[in-house]
Amino acid sequence: MAPFLQLSTLAFFAIFYVMSDQSVVPIDQILPHKLPLVALMGRPIFPGIFTPIMIGNPTDVRVVEDVVTGDALIGLVMLQNETDTPAITDLYTVGTVAKIVKKINLPDGGVNIFISTMKRFRVKKALHTSNPIVAAVEYLEEEEDRTSEVKALTRALISEMKQISENNPLFSEEMRLNMINIDHPGKIADFIASILNIDKAEMQKILEMLNVRKRMEQVLVFIKKEQELLRIQKKIQREINEKIEKSQRDYFLKEELKAIKTELGMTTDAKSSDYQRFKDKFDAFKFEGEVKEIVDQEMEKFNLMEPNSAEFIVTRNYLDWIAVLPWGEPAPEVFDLKNAQAVLEADHYGLKDVKSRIVEYLAVRKLRKDTKGSIICLVGPPGVGKTSVGKSIARALGKQFFRFSVGGMRDEAEIKGHRRTYIGAMPGKIIQGLKIVKSKDPVFMIDEIDKMGASFQGDPASALLEALDPEQNNSFRDHYLDMPFDVSHVFFIVTANTLDTIPPPLLDRMEIIQLPGYIDTEKLEIAQRYLLPKSLEKNGLKKNQVKYTKDSLLHIANAYARESGVRNFEKNLDKIHRKLAKQIVESEEAAQGTIKADTAREAAKTASAVAEKTPQYETKAAKPVRFSVDKKFVEKQLGKPIFPETDIKKADRPGISVGLAWTSMGGDTLVIEATSLPGKEGLTLTGKMGDTMKESAAIAMTVARKLAVERYGIDREWFDLNHIHLHIPEGATPKDGPSAGITMATALLSLMREKVITDKLVMTGELSLTGQVLPIGGLKEKTIAARRNKARHIIFPKQNARDLDEIPDHVKKGIEFHPVERYEEVLALALPD
């Protein structure tokens, strides 16, 4: 028997029977104790209801036919688990007995019956488990409670249901009347439960409740939930109606506005307004040639497009970009060379050669009255002021400044833009920058040009070739614009830490200016002039609150910030000033009085009483806190030195020599260690050397072995019986390059001769197999590193003597330079006989 029994949604109404008080025979004596059961799939039916039910399942139809010919009584029980062939185990145990009042046959073979439900029953025993289900039942009596609480619940139910039924078309007038006329509390609860939108499992629980008061309480809870749902529904409907009314009002106002504009001869829509705006802009630019042809085509296309089309937004954005770019010729440059020099001097200490070259560059621009071909590459270690030099150049010229970094960039579209065929396409960084500065001749700084990458998306370095080529950038083509744009007036400044990773074609288009690192005395001046005022202001301190001694600043430079730049120097100053700021705030808070409330009684006084008496705290006059910073104070704030004085690299035993190296972070000193062990002849190299350095070590070994035998008379058997190990400390740091050739050969000869090299002597130079000392690069940075290492003698290739002129005198002061051509000259200085 399939449970396809549902309430008709079209013919649903509920009428409670009011049982006559003159009934003589109790109803449970008329009702049989054996009932055929019909499974309800939708929701249970409560007693006292007159309602239609449609039955479509053939098995259920046969049950109805059999019952109608008899006493017309059936049991209605809801299914627990929906199934096509229910058994008695699939039904709940409590249901409602109903009398079939009328049966109407339907054309599809089903029947429509009108039933009058009478009483609750409980299934006691299954007499026939399926098709049809027959069970022995017992009828349940309600537990009535005629207390005032039940009366109050009755009134509450009726009152709450009146509120729900008001202005609700789902509640008919007959329902409202019947609800009011029901005189039994239990039947009121059943009636309300039958018409509320409750889950069928919850309705079954109400059907099984025999205690009238509990049933009414549960129904009241569901009424409250229904009221809350109705409140939310009304709120949502009200908000929707308000939006609809606003949109309709806006529509009518816009239509009226269009009509008014039409009468006045004004443009009537946004498209026409945009078209006129673009036309006025482009007419003012006075385009010519290819640019004019492209713009005219796009304008014509824009005029013919429907605003709702997807292409309309693309074309509008494209015309917007063209309209905001600075197409006009820039005004002639007007700047004072002395003022430019003053700006550079005010913004940076030292860098004499750099400032001189920049001023010379500006002088040529002013003399030629031509802004084209201005591409400078500032190369130097981090923290030496490359970016700030670029800003100073822009300030000296009175131009707009725009900076963007290309470090880690792998997509050429970042430089030249995306084509308009892509969703969300936009121009590259150069065109974006011109839009931001709104000037055709700004200063553009391209940072970290040595850190660009390449991938399947393209090579950004190659994309920069056109922009940075003075012969080509007067017709630079961005992929998005797809038309020539003159960027030759832009003053391009690029920065890099090293030139090694910059592609040669790109490097060839730039004027190289080297920015060396700073020595300790230069860091001292920079700190006093720039870093200290900036750091004090940033941390809320006044100039007269902190006073540094000269030794304390030099101690920070040598013991905590020994790198080429001053970035770590500034970080250490900030660290000290943060700690001082904390001490100042703590001292100010300690100077304030404490609350005088000693007891809870005093704390509980009224506000008026407190106002009449003395204040609850006292303040003491806080004396201004001042600090005098010396070396001990620095170590107290920053901790133990990172680079102690004992960290100076020395050659204090045989087999050790000190060389000079160049890195992207500036110059550095390099210790070469060599030792020998009895064993098989050979050479072991450690210290993460690159291929070039390994080849240089092999050459150094050959030259040292030859000189040891021929010049110093060392027995050849010594090499057969000893294994030599050459190591460069800081083994985790990659090292490469040929400039340590003479340093490695000197360490090996020092080992072989068991002699310590000259004190405070450092060296640099490539060694050839025949003993020639070949030139190297970065002598200026290496000299600064030597000075930081307290060196007094530097051996360097004679071909690099011309580079001495680029080194400031204050850097060379106290250092003796020894240019050499042959390795024998190195030995005469490092290992004299």
Side-chain angles (χ1 to χ4, degrees):
M1 176 164 45
F4 294 120
L5 192 58
Q6 298 180 350
L7 294 178
S8 171
T9 58
L10 296 176
F12 175 82
F13 62 94
I15 301 174
F16 264 75
Y17 275 88
V18 180
M19 302 300 296
S20 173
D21 292 337
Q22 301 176 356
S23 301
V24 178
V25 182
I27 191 170
D28 56 351
Q29 293 182 13
I30 301 173
L31 298 175
H33 292 280
K34 182 177 75 172
L35 283 175
L37 304 182
V38 174
L40 299 175
M41 185 171 64
R43 50 197 295 176
I45 299 177
F46 289 85
I49 293 176
F50 182 77
T51 182
I53 300 177
M54 293 185 65
I55 299 177
N57 187 276
T59 305
D60 292 337
V61 171
R62 288 196 299 272
V63 171
V64 170
E65 297 288 351
D66 294 340
V67 168
V68 169
T69 57
D71 56 8
L73 294 174
I74 59 172
L76 304 176
V77 187
M78 195 176 72
L79 274 170
Q80 294 188 54
N81 305 308
E82 295 184 3
T83 176
D84 293 337
T85 56
I88 196 168
T89 54
D90 297 320
L91 304 177
Y92 284 97
T93 57
V94 176
T96 305
V97 62
K99 184 175 182 64
I100 299 175
V101 178
K102 187 176 182 180
K103 177 178 74 74
I104 301 172
N105 294 323
L106 300 176
D108 59 356
V111 294
N112 191 5
I113 60 174
F114 288 84
I115 60 169
S116 173
T117 56
M118 299 178 180
K119 199 167 186 176
R120 290 172 170 82
F121 68 82
R122 180 181 285 111
V123 176
K124 291 176 61 179
K125 182 180 179 182
L127 302 178
H128 196 280
T129 58
S130 61
N131 294 329
I133 301 173
V134 181
V137 299
E138 62 174 344
Y139 297 98
L140 304 175
E141 297 296 334
E142 294 182 340
E143 300 173 5
E144 296 190 10
D145 191 354
R146 293 290 182 177
T147 63
S148 58
E149 185 178 355
V150 172
K151 292 180 180 178
L153 284 170
T154 303
R155 292 182 181 180
L157 288 174
I158 295 173
S159 175
E160 297 294 340
M161 282 303 296
K162 282 182 179 179
Q163 293 182 17
I164 294 177
S165 62
E166 288 177 359
N167 301 322
N168 192 334
L170 297 177
F171 289 87
S172 63
E173 189 62 32
E174 290 83 354
M175 288 183 181
R176 297 187 185 95
L177 291 174
N178 288 330
M179 182 175 60
I180 295 171
N181 292 327
I182 298 172
D183 60 351
H184 193 279
K187 290 184 179 181
I188 292 176
D190 288 343
F191 173 74
I192 294 174
S194 66
I195 61 177
L196 287 178
N197 186 18
I198 307 173
D199 183 72
K200 63 181 181 180
E202 298 293 341
M203 293 184 73
Q204 179 66 30
K205 288 181 182 179
I206 295 174
L207 181 67
E208 294 176 0
M209 285 184 181
L210 300 181
N211 187 285
V212 173
R213 182 179 61 80
K214 290 183 179 179
R215 189 191 310 166
M216 296 176 78
E217 289 175 350
Q218 187 62 44
V219 172
L220 187 60
V221 171
F222 288 124
I223 291 175
K224 290 294 184 182
K225 290 182 180 179
E226 184 70 19
Q227 286 178 340
E228 182 64 19
L229 289 174
L230 288 173
R231 186 187 65 78
I232 296 172
Q233 180 181 351
K234 288 180 180 179
K235 179 184 175 184
I236 295 171
Q237 189 173 0
R238 184 172 62 253
E239 290 175 353
I240 293 173
N241 290 337
E242 288 175 357
K243 289 180 181 179
I244 293 173
E245 290 173 1
K246 184 179 183 303
S247 63
Q248 289 177 342
R249 180 173 176 274
D250 291 346
Y251 173 77
F252 287 120
L253 288 175
K254 286 178 182 178
E255 291 298 319
E256 289 179 5
L257 183 61
K258 283 183 181 180
I260 293 170
K261 286 185 175 181
T262 303
E263 289 293 327
L264 296 175
M266 300 169 61
T267 55
T268 58
D269 56 6
K271 176 184 171 183
S272 301
S273 177
D274 287 339
Y275 180 84
Q276 190 60 42
R277 177 169 62 88
F278 291 145
K279 189 174 185 304
D280 293 342
K281 281 251 186 184
F282 298 153
D283 289 345
F285 288 144
K286 298 179 180 179
F287 291 132
E288 295 180 354
E290 181 184 354
V291 177
K292 179 176 173 57
E293 184 179 346
I294 293 174
V295 169
D296 289 345
Q297 289 176 359
E298 293 296 325
M299 285 290 288
E300 184 179 356
K301 187 196 302 182
F302 179 77
N303 194 32
L304 296 174
M305 279 183 181
E306 286 294 329
N308 295 328
S309 67
E311 190 68 20
F312 178 82
I313 300 298
V314 175
T315 304
R316 185 184 181 279
N317 289 342
Y318 179 69
L319 293 172
D320 253 336
W321 273 101
I322 297 175
V324 297
L325 290 176
W327 291 93
E329 286 295 318
E333 284 187 342
V334 178
F335 62 90
D336 186 355
L337 212 59
K338 289 184 179 180
N339 179 61
Q341 178 79 42
V343 169
L344 292 172
E345 291 291 345
D347 290 350
H348 301 87
Y349 173 78
L351 303 177
K352 182 178 179 181
D353 294 341
V354 175
K355 294 174 183 176
S356 176
R357 293 187 67 176
I358 291 174
V359 171
E360 291 168 3
Y361 204 81
L362 298 179
V364 172
R365 286 172 64 95
K366 188 168 185 178
L367 192 63
R368 289 183 56 194
K369 298 180 180 179
D370 185 6
T371 61
K372 298 185 178 181
S374 305
I375 300 166
I376 291 177
C377 180
L378 303 176
V379 183
V384 296
K386 298 185 294 297
T387 304
S388 61
V389 166
K391 291 180 180 178
S392 297
I393 293 173
R395 194 158 71 90
L397 291 173
K399 294 181 179 294
Q400 295 290 330
F401 180 79
F402 179 76
R403 172 194 166 276
F404 67 94
S405 176
V406 293
M409 188 178 289
R410 294 178 175 272
D411 187 359
E412 66 166 314
E414 292 288 334
I415 303 295
K416 300 195 70 173
H418 300 82
R419 300 197 180 279
R420 280 182 289 157
T421 52
Y422 297 105
I423 296 175
M426 61 189 306
K429 289 290 185 184
I430 295 175
I431 299 297
Q432 288 180 39
L434 291 170
K435 175 191 175 183
I436 292 171
V437 298
K438 297 180 176 60
S439 171
K440 199 171 186 179
D441 59 343
V443 175
F444 266 27
M445 172 160 279
I446 306 176
D447 257 340
E448 313 294 350
I449 199 170
D450 58 324
K451 297 178 181 63
M452 282 190 295
S455 67
F456 66 93
Q457 295 170 307
D459 182 6
S462 300
L464 276 175
L465 290 176
E466 182 184 358
L468 300 184
D469 191 339
E471 301 299 326
Q472 300 180 34
N473 60 10
N474 60 343
S475 58
F476 174 73
R477 280 185 179 269
D478 185 272
H479 288 157
Y480 181 83
L481 291 181
D482 199 21
M483 64 172 66
F485 189 90
D486 187 2
V487 297
S488 62
H489 298 281
V490 178
F491 191 163
F492 286 103
I493 302 174
V494 301
T495 70
N497 297 130
T498 176
L499 299 177
D500 297 342
T501 55
I502 302 177
L506 187 59
L507 195 63
D508 185 57
R509 288 161 166 78
M510 299 181 290
E511 177 79 13
I512 309 299
I513 296 180
Q514 295 278 354
L515 277 77
Y518 300 111
I519 60 175
D520 51 2
T521 55
E522 291 177 318
K523 289 182 180 180
L524 174 65
E525 292 293 333
I526 293 170
Q528 291 175 334
R529 298 188 187 190
Y530 307 104
L531 302 184
L532 272 175
K534 177 182 175 183
S535 181
L536 288 170
E537 182 182 357
K538 183 167 66 174
N539 291 282
L541 301 175
K542 298 178 181 178
K543 292 182 180 180
N544 60 354
Q545 284 184 292
V546 185
K547 184 178 180 180
Y548 284 82
T549 64
K550 182 178 179 181
D551 290 340
S552 64
L553 292 174
L554 287 173
H555 187 53
I556 295 174
N558 291 320
Y560 298 93
R562 200 179 282 180
E563 78 286 349
S564 301
V566 292
R567 193 166 288 148
N568 281 335
F569 198 117
E570 185 178 3
K571 289 179 182 177
N572 282 288
L573 290 177
D574 287 341
K575 186 176 180 180
I576 293 173
H577 293 157
R578 285 195 299 270
K579 291 179 181 293
L580 298 184
K582 178 186 174 186
Q583 294 180 35
I584 291 172
V585 172
E586 287 177 346
S587 66
E588 290 177 353
E589 291 178 352
Q592 295 179 353
T594 58
I595 296 176
K596 289 185 174 181
D598 296 327
T599 63
R601 182 180 299 174
E602 291 181 10
K605 289 180 180 180
T606 61
S608 59
V610 172
E612 293 174 0
K613 295 183 181 290
T614 57
Q616 290 184 330
Y617 61 87
E618 296 177 352
T619 58
K620 301 176 182 178
K623 297 181 179 179
V625 182
R626 291 184 172 87
F627 298 93
S628 180
V629 182
D630 55 13
K631 289 178 64 174
K632 290 184 178 179
F633 190 89
V634 168
E635 292 191 5
K636 181 180 178 182
Q637 303 299 325
L638 298 181
K640 294 294 182 182
I642 300 173
F643 306 102
E645 293 182 5
T646 56
D647 196 36
I648 299 298
K649 297 173 182 176
K650 301 178 181 178
D652 53 0
R653 64 187 64 186
I656 297 180
S657 62
V658 182
L660 298 173
W662 182 92
T663 69
S664 61
M665 305 292 287
D668 198 4
T669 50
L670 201 67
V671 175
I672 308 293
E673 299 176 342
T675 188
S676 63
L677 295 170
K680 186 178 179 181
E681 176 187 4
L683 176 65
T684 298
L685 303 174
T686 56
K688 208 165 185 181
M689 302 183 193
D691 293 337
T692 304
M693 184 169 274
K694 289 178 181 178
E695 293 175 357
S696 184
I699 294 172
M701 181 63 186
T702 301
V703 172
R705 180 170 179 172
K706 182 179 180 182
L707 288 173
V709 173
E710 296 179 356
R711 181 169 177 171
Y712 299 111
I714 296 176
D715 195 343
R716 295 179 185 273
E717 292 184 0
W718 186 89
F719 296 98
D720 297 333
L721 301 175
N722 288 276
H723 185 90
I724 298 175
H725 187 161
L726 186 71
H727 175 67
I728 305 177
E730 299 180 9
T733 305
K735 309 166 190 73
D736 204 2
S739 64
I742 64 173
T743 313
M744 289 189 284
T746 304
L748 292 169
L749 278 169
S750 172
L751 171 69
M752 296 170 189
R753 294 182 61 191
E754 298 182 353
K755 187 174 181 179
V756 179
I757 68 171
T758 304
D759 187 33
K760 295 185 178 180
L761 172 72
V762 294
M763 61 191 76
T764 180
E766 181 181 352
L767 180 63
S768 74
L769 201 57
T770 58
Q772 291 283 344
V773 180
L774 304 177
I776 46 85
L779 182 62
K780 188 176 184 179
E781 289 79 7
K782 292 178 179 179
T783 302
I784 293 172
R787 187 174 184 86
R788 283 200 297 265
N789 202 59
K790 312 295 185 184
R792 290 290 176 263
H793 302 274
I794 297 178
I795 298 174
F796 69 100
K798 191 172 184 178
Q799 295 183 44
N800 287 106
R802 64 181 184 275
D803 298 334
L804 287 176
D805 296 336
E806 299 181 2
I807 303 175
D809 292 337
H810 66 275
V811 176
K812 294 186 289 186
K813 185 178 180 181
I815 299 177
E816 188 176 352
F817 292 85
H818 304 277
V820 297
E821 287 184 297
R822 298 280 308 170
Y823 182 64
E824 288 80 0
E825 299 175 58
V826 177
L827 289 176
L829 294 165
L831 294 169
D833 294 332

